[in-house]
Amino acid sequence: MSGKKAPRQVAFPLNRAFTFVESGPVLLISTRHKGKSNLMTVSCHASMGFEPTLGICLGPWNFSYAALVGTGECVVAVPPADLLTQVVEIGNCSGETMDKFSVFQLTPQPAQEVQAPLVAECLCNLECRLVNRKLADEYNFFVLQGVRAWRNPSPPDGRSFHAVGDGTFILDGEVVDLRRKMTKWQDCI
Ligand SMILES: Cc1cc2nc3c(=O)[nH]c(=O)nc-3n(C[C@H](O)[C@H](O)[C@H](O)COP(=O)(O)O)c2cc1C
């Protein structure tokens, strides 16, 4: 034990404790259903494996829900920091009444394995198939399998951003290179 006095933890409201942990970068989910392309914002997601497999929480109150369930596919796109305001606006309106690609001046690009379009302005795009919805009724949780990946090789702003959960966002910052410490995980780097 060092002589330094340990900080004292104070109680925090449990119903706001989800803001302690954020899932990863805020995502755009692109879908195409009945001839209409759409976008929604998702911050509640989980990386589940290197295949890549990922889980997203997507509630039935979203117009995108029927598209994901109906088609069994989507594109997961990671938007850059310079799109932060548009991405928040995309998550505050419904594709039922508008064409979000056109309103938010984003460019749909044909994907190869799925009908949903890539988002050209995003840092990267992952074409996905819905492979498991066993937790959908209880948790709105859908498991996606990436089937083809794309990235922008020279984005003007390469930072993604993270949602704290209270309307504030964290932009990616410093990169710390500790590859020399990854002695057990050489295959991953
Ligand atoms: C920052 C942010 C994060 C969001 N994260 C989620 C999420 O993880 N899951 C979800 O179902 N909705 C989430 N939403 C809400 C949807 O994006 C929102 O309901 C959107 O209007 C759905 O669009 P749609 O009706 O065109 O599908 C989020 C919204 C914002 C602004």
Side-chain angles (χ1 to χ4, degrees), residues 26 38-44 57-59 61-65 87-88 90-96 100 163 169:
V26 176
N38 190 33
L39 290 166
M40 75 171 278
T41 306
V42 160
S43 60
C44 190
C57 283
L58 202 161
W61 52 86
N62 300 295
F63 186 63
S64 304
Y65 183 92
V87 169
V88 171
I90 286 168
N92 280 275
C93 59
S94 174
E96 193 170 7
K100 294 197 200 176
F169 296 85

Side-chain angles (χ1 to χ4, degrees), residues 125-144:
N125 283 267
L126 183 63
E127 300 182 32
C128 291
R129 286 196 211 294
L130 174 58
V131 291
N132 189 310
R133 46 169 306 182
K134 285 183 187 157
L135 294 177
D137 290 343
E138 204 170 348
Y139 294 105
N140 298 319
F141 190 78
F142 294 91
V143 180
L144 306 175

Side-chain angles (χ1 to χ4, degrees), residues 4 13 34 42 49 71 73 78 100 112 119 150 167 184 187:
K4 215 168 128 195
K34 298 183 177 167
V42 160
T71 62
E73 53 182 47
V78 180
K100 294 197 200 176
Q112 239 167 59
V119 188
W150 306 88
K184 194 174 169 185
D187 291 350

Side-chain angles (χ1 to χ4, degrees), residues 34-170:
K34 298 183 177 167
K36 180 165 189 175
S37 300
N38 190 33
L39 290 166
M40 75 171 278
T41 306
V42 160
S43 60
C44 190
H45 58 86
S47 173
M48 298 176 67
F50 298 125
E51 287 79 12
T53 308
L54 65 151
I56 57 169
C57 283
L58 202 161
W61 52 86
N62 300 295
F63 186 63
S64 304
Y65 183 92
L68 178 67
V69 172
T71 62
E73 53 182 47
C74 67
V75 168
V76 172
V78 180
D82 55 10
L83 286 184
L84 173 56
T85 306
Q86 286 105 303
V87 169
V88 171
E89 288 169 354
I90 286 168
N92 280 275
C93 59
S94 174
E96 193 170 7
T97 51
M98 67 171 72
D99 175 350
K100 294 197 200 176
F101 275 97
S102 155
V103 169
F104 295 102
Q105 299 184 340
L106 295 171
T107 315
Q109 261 179 20
Q112 239 167 59
E113 313 287 341
V114 302
Q115 294 299 311
L118 310 179
V119 188
E121 290 77 8
C122 280
L123 299 172
C124 49
N125 283 267
L126 183 63
E127 300 182 32
C128 291
R129 286 196 211 294
L130 174 58
V131 291
N132 189 310
R133 46 169 306 182
K134 285 183 187 157
L135 294 177
D137 290 343
E138 204 170 348
Y139 294 105
N140 298 319
F141 190 78
F142 294 91
V143 180
L144 306 175
Q145 182 79 60
V147 291
R148 193 169 289 267
W150 306 88
R151 78 179 183 100
N152 179 346
S154 49
D157 186 341
R159 295 172 300 167
S160 60
F161 51 90
H162 302 240
V164 175
D166 61 357
T168 64
F169 296 85
I170 301 166

